[in-house]
Amino acid sequence: DTAVSQTPKYLVTQMGNDKSIKCEQNLGHDTMYWYKQDSKKFLKIMFSYNNKELIINETVPNRFSPKSPDKAHLNLHINSLELGDSAVYFCASSQWTPFREVRDTQYFGPGTRLTVL
Amino acid sequence: QQPVQSPQAVILREGEDAVINCSSSKALYSVHWYRQKHGEAPVFLMILLKGGEQKGHEKISASFNEKKQQSSLYLTASQLSYSGTYFCGTEEGAGGTSYGKLTFGQGTILTVHP
């Protein structure tokens, strides 16, 4: 059974277009994350949601808008795509919760390779 | 601030050992180690918590020096399957909540040859 899944796996699009990436986890976790991994493999957090509430919002262009319809899903919408947005985007989830000290790791989805032409 | 990993790359023959280090300038609550193979997602290896608790795979060991904000990952009797890029992710613990945020190092590329 897939724990964290993402669609699509590959996304090739033109500059200026708008695209979305979807993520779903079946681990029962309360917290989900979006990461961007660039061509140098630098893995950087973008956003995090806990139970549908935004809790981490790093310095990311406002063309990127995350949405969490429920705690098992976290989507990423990107407007007006630019060449520099080309990267692999990973979704992850963890048991982190503000109500108790849970120290567990994050589980990553397979990634979405976005190529902007 | 991003933790610093060393070395940047390691080349081994099967059966040899390796140590990968991760150093942060911030007080840490936990250190997480991942391995990523080409074209795949990072896979969890080990988590080390402030206070000494560890969770992870049996064949991989690691240490966490809380005072120095440093962690080391020990790979012994390496196998071909150990090849990949190793990342440490640090969770800062200077007070307040981290929201589970991990800041990743730049990665260490490990290559194991037959």
Side-chain angles (χ1 to χ4, degrees):
Chain A
D1 286 343
T2 303
V4 183
S5 59
Q6 292 179 232
T7 54
K9 189 164 175 60
Y10 300 97
L11 194 49
V12 181
T13 188
Q14 299 287 334
M15 265 191 345
N17 284 349
D18 303 338
K19 290 293 178 187
S20 292
I21 305 171
K22 295 186 176 182
C23 178
E24 177 181 359
Q25 56 95 3
N26 62 7
L27 296 167
H29 289 167
D30 286 342
T31 302
M32 297 182 72
Y33 309 82
W34 277 115
Y35 286 89
K36 179 181 180 181
Q37 188 171 45
D38 61 23
S39 57
K40 295 185 179 180
K41 294 218 166 183
F42 178 40
L43 194 59
K44 183 168 170 54
I45 190 164
M46 301 171 69
F47 303 102
S48 177
Y49 272 76
N50 171 258
N51 202 12
K52 301 190 294 178
E53 182 181 341
L54 182 67
I55 57 172
I56 296 175
N57 187 357
E58 294 292 289
T59 308
V60 176
N62 57 15
R63 298 182 293 104
F64 290 79
S65 52
K67 280 193 173 56
S68 181
D70 55 63
K71 69 177 188 178
H73 295 84
L74 180 61
N75 304 323
L76 183 65
H77 187 77
I78 316 170
N79 289 325
S80 303
L81 278 155
E82 300 178 357
L83 293 176
D85 297 333
S86 295
V88 180
Y89 292 84
F90 286 102
C91 175
S93 73
S94 79
Q95 292 189 65
W96 187 88
T97 168
F99 303 113
R100 57 191 171 96
E101 288 295 317
V102 175
R103 285 295 182 266
D104 198 2
T105 195
Q106 295 177 18
Y107 297 88
F108 283 78
T112 296
R113 182 173 292 276
L114 173 65
T115 304
V116 183
L117 304 175
Chain B
Q1 192 168 355
Q2 184 185 8
V4 177
Q5 290 183 229
S6 62
Q8 291 190 344
V10 183
I11 299 176
L12 301 174
R13 293 225 175 263
E14 265 187 302
E16 292 181 339
D17 302 339
V19 180
I20 301 172
N21 302 302
C22 176
S23 181
S24 174
S25 60
K26 305 277 188 178
L28 301 177
Y29 199 100
S30 65
V31 179
H32 305 229
W33 286 97
Y34 289 81
R35 177 172 59 219
Q36 184 179 29
K37 292 185 181 281
H38 183 69
E40 298 181 8
V43 173
F44 168 69
L45 296 176
M46 173 78 70
I47 179 174
L48 301 109
L49 308 174
K50 192 174 177 180
E53 185 180 355
Q54 297 185 12
K55 304 179 191 177
H57 293 260
E58 294 176 0
K59 293 188 178 181
I60 293 175
S61 62
S63 64
F64 178 23
N65 186 322
E66 298 168 29
K67 288 184 178 178
K68 293 186 177 180
Q69 296 103 51
Q70 293 175 347
S71 177
S72 294
L73 184 71
Y74 305 98
L75 302 163
T76 56
S78 59
Q79 304 169 18
L80 295 176
S81 62
Y82 284 13
S83 292
T85 302
Y86 289 76
F87 292 97
C88 68
T90 55
E91 181 185 11
E92 293 175 16
T97 180
S98 69
Y99 299 104
K101 176 183 172 181
L102 294 182
T103 304
F104 284 91
Q106 81 277 21
T108 296
I109 301 172
L110 180 78
T111 306
V112 181
H113 290 298

